[in-house]
Amino acid sequence: MKEYKKRIVKTIQYIDANLDADLSLENIAEISAYSPFHFHRIFKLITGETLQQYIIRRKIEKSAFLLAVRKQMEIKEIYFDLGFSSHSVFSKTFKKYYGLPPSEFRKTAPEAFHKILQTHRKNGQADTVFSQYICSIENLLNWTKMNLKIEVKQLPEMNLAAVMSLGINDVESSYNVLIDWAKKENLFPAENIKMISVYHDSFKVTPPDKVRIHACMLLDHQLNTPQGEIFSETIETGKYIVGSGEVTLNDFEQCWVSLFLWMNEHNLSMRRTFPFEIYHSNFKEHPEGKMIVDFCIPVH
């Protein structure tokens, strides 16, 4: 199973980086080094979706993210970049997932700071349920002032060892795999070790059981070759919004919402790379379950 997962991780990374390319079963299977028949079965076994379901969902989720945070992009530019042949095809597919046409989604989602949750009726049709994160923006801002120190910083390049988690519930097991590997490499425990979670999907547009989170460990060198489920990941140097605070796991959602609100208020826009969390302490070692965390958003 580890070899299967390793190949599927490689395939998922390729798909995500090439959503506008020819992502036919034959081409993707070739990248994974499986026959199309075997690849299709293995992919569904590991991800819970067919290849086509996964590709369409990823395209729609990426389009939703761009609609919400990059208002300067024309809708036509978004759907052409993602390989949709026409506005009608894109709009119909988007509405199936989120219950709104793209133009209405762009107007509603960002300003209301709503979390998008999907529920499925018995007939298989997806409904969109909007639930507010917090009672009022004023309360959120007050909470932010009390709990987070927010700065814009230039962060250095970071070399990471990573394990992919498909779904929020698998993150802990991914970290266990990472730590077991680090112990064998005599990298863990260490005094200044840093664990980092890199989010390759947004909870605003991706269901929690589908979100891809990379459980990572900061290294002082680049990992040259994959080792089992462990692969190399690099966080590029650049400008980041960094929100630092001592918080519980239940506070994470508010922290992220606060930072994106702060980003919009300061006329910053997100770069096309991934937000991440840096952990400076372990919540399991704190009597109140708190941990010191840096929440980082890459910006222009």
Side-chain angles (χ1 to χ4, degrees):
M1 181 60 72
K2 286 185 178 180
E3 179 61 26
Y4 290 166
K5 187 173 180 181
K6 179 180 172 182
R7 293 194 194 182
I8 295 301
V9 166
K10 177 183 176 183
T11 304
I12 286 173
Q13 290 175 319
Y14 176 83
I15 292 171
D16 195 58
N18 297 276
L19 286 172
D20 59 343
D22 178 6
L23 297 176
S24 64
L25 174 60
E26 290 73 19
N27 287 349
I28 298 298
E30 184 177 349
I31 290 165
S32 69
Y34 284 117
S35 69
F37 174 77
H38 284 101
F39 171 79
H40 188 270
R41 297 186 66 181
I42 293 165
F43 187 91
K44 187 172 183 180
L45 174 68
I46 291 177
T47 66
E49 296 176 282
T50 66
L51 176 65
Q52 192 62 21
Q53 286 171 335
Y54 180 84
I55 291 171
I56 291 174
R57 178 174 64 79
R58 285 296 300 125
K59 286 186 175 186
I60 292 299
E61 289 169 356
K62 186 169 183 179
S63 71
F65 180 78
L66 293 173
L67 286 166
V69 304
R70 303 199 66 177
K71 293 185 179 181
Q72 72 275 22
M73 288 187 72
E74 296 288 341
I75 292 178
K76 184 176 182 180
E77 182 183 357
I78 291 172
Y79 71 72
F80 271 148
D81 282 352
L82 292 171
F84 288 94
S85 58
S86 68
H87 183 276
S88 61
V89 171
F90 172 61
S91 185
K92 183 179 179 181
T93 308
F94 190 96
K95 189 173 181 179
K96 180 181 177 182
Y97 275 78
Y98 294 119
L100 293 170
S103 57
E104 289 301 312
F105 175 90
R106 170 169 269 179
K107 292 176 184 176
T108 305
E111 284 79 7
F113 294 98
H114 282 160
K115 181 179 179 182
I116 298 146
L117 305 171
Q118 286 188 333
T119 59
H120 297 272
R121 294 176 181 167
K122 291 181 180 179
N123 63 8
Q125 295 299 312
D127 276 339
T128 301
V129 179
F130 293 99
S131 63
Q132 269 189 296
Y133 280 119
I134 202 163
C135 293
S136 71
I137 297 301
E138 184 179 351
N139 287 342
L140 178 56
L141 292 174
N142 288 335
W143 185 92
T144 302
K145 289 177 183 178
M146 292 175 61
N147 293 277
L148 287 181
K149 177 184 178 182
I150 303 177
E151 302 175 279
V152 177
K153 295 182 178 180
Q154 185 78 16
L155 295 183
E157 181 179 271
M158 301 182 209
N159 295 309
L160 309 176
V163 177
M164 180 180 286
S165 168
L166 292 173
I168 189 69
N169 292 332
D170 290 333
V171 174
E172 185 172 359
S173 61
S174 295
Y175 270 111
N176 290 337
V177 170
L178 183 63
I179 290 171
D180 287 344
W181 168 82
K183 287 178 178 177
K184 293 176 183 176
E185 298 292 321
N186 295 318
L187 298 172
F188 186 91
E191 184 177 349
N192 296 317
I193 198 75
K194 290 289 189 299
M195 297 296 187
I196 298 174
S197 290
V198 182
Y199 291 89
H200 286 254
D201 293 309
S202 168
F203 284 97
K204 285 188 175 183
V205 293
T206 304
D209 63 334
K210 304 294 186 186
V211 168
R212 291 166 306 133
I213 304 171
H214 290 184
C216 302
M217 178 182 293
L218 182 62
L219 304 177
D220 59 8
H221 61 281
Q222 190 171 39
L223 187 66
N224 293 324
T225 57
Q227 300 180 29
E229 293 183 54
I230 314 296
F231 57 91
S232 176
E233 179 155 10
T234 301
I235 294 176
E236 63 185 40
T237 183
K239 185 164 69 171
Y240 292 82
I241 298 171
V242 180
S244 303
E246 188 175 32
V247 296
T248 68
L249 291 175
N250 291 332
D251 296 326
F252 276 37
E253 184 175 64
Q254 290 188 63
C255 292
W256 281 116
V257 175
S258 298
L259 288 182
F260 279 106
L261 176 58
W262 193 94
M263 179 183 74
N264 290 334
E265 286 184 336
H266 288 77
N267 297 315
L268 295 168
S269 59
M270 187 172 173
R271 284 187 283 120
R272 289 194 179 188
T273 185
F274 308 108
F276 55 93
E277 297 159 353
I278 304 175
Y279 311 120
H280 298 278
S281 63
N282 187 344
F283 73 94
K284 294 180 179 180
E285 299 172 356
H286 192 284
E288 297 177 13
K290 292 185 176 182
M291 59 197 304
I292 299 172
V293 186
D294 292 339
F295 299 88
C296 307
I297 301 176
V299 292
H300 293 288

